[in-house]
Amino acid sequence: QVQLVESGGGLVQAGGSLRLSCAASGRTFSSYAMGWFRQAPGKEREFVSGSGSGSNTYYADSVKGRFTISRDNAKNTVYLQMNSLKPEDTAVYYCAAALLVLKLKTVPDYWGQGTQVTVSS
């Protein structure tokens, strides 16, 4: 069982930056692919970024060049640095974990509770 707790959301002006953190429980964090999804009001939840258990990273086209995912296996934490934020980035951001990257992108094994990110214009 893995528990995920996000933090770092908030209100920011367009063009600003935020860093989300996701702290995971469990002793096998390094074995999991970790990632972030988001869900805007009235829209489906969508994949944003992922980090495999190795060094591979993955991004949705809409955030490439602006968001950076990283992980600190010693701290059981994954981060999402979000720069050049746009109003359309406004959503609840969810941390997710899965043993396989493919599963992470589609049906993760575990979810966090979500953290709100609001970007004002």
Side-chain angles (χ1 to χ4, degrees), residues 9-18 82 85-87 90 117-121:
L11 174 64
V12 64
Q13 288 189 331
S17 299
L18 281 175
M82 305 186 294
L85 283 161
K86 305 175 182 179
T90 295
V117 171
T118 303
V119 184
S120 63
S121 57

Side-chain angles (χ1 to χ4, degrees), residues 25-63:
S25 64
R27 292 177 289 180
T28 58
F29 176 80
S30 61
S31 300
Y32 281 85
M34 301 294 298
W36 294 90
F37 285 70
R38 67 186 181 187
Q39 187 167 19
K43 295 188 177 181
E44 292 188 355
R45 193 173 298 190
E46 63 176 358
F47 173 80
V48 173
S49 181
S51 171
S53 57
S55 59
N56 291 341
T57 56
Y58 310 87
Y59 297 95
D61 288 342
S62 58
V63 307

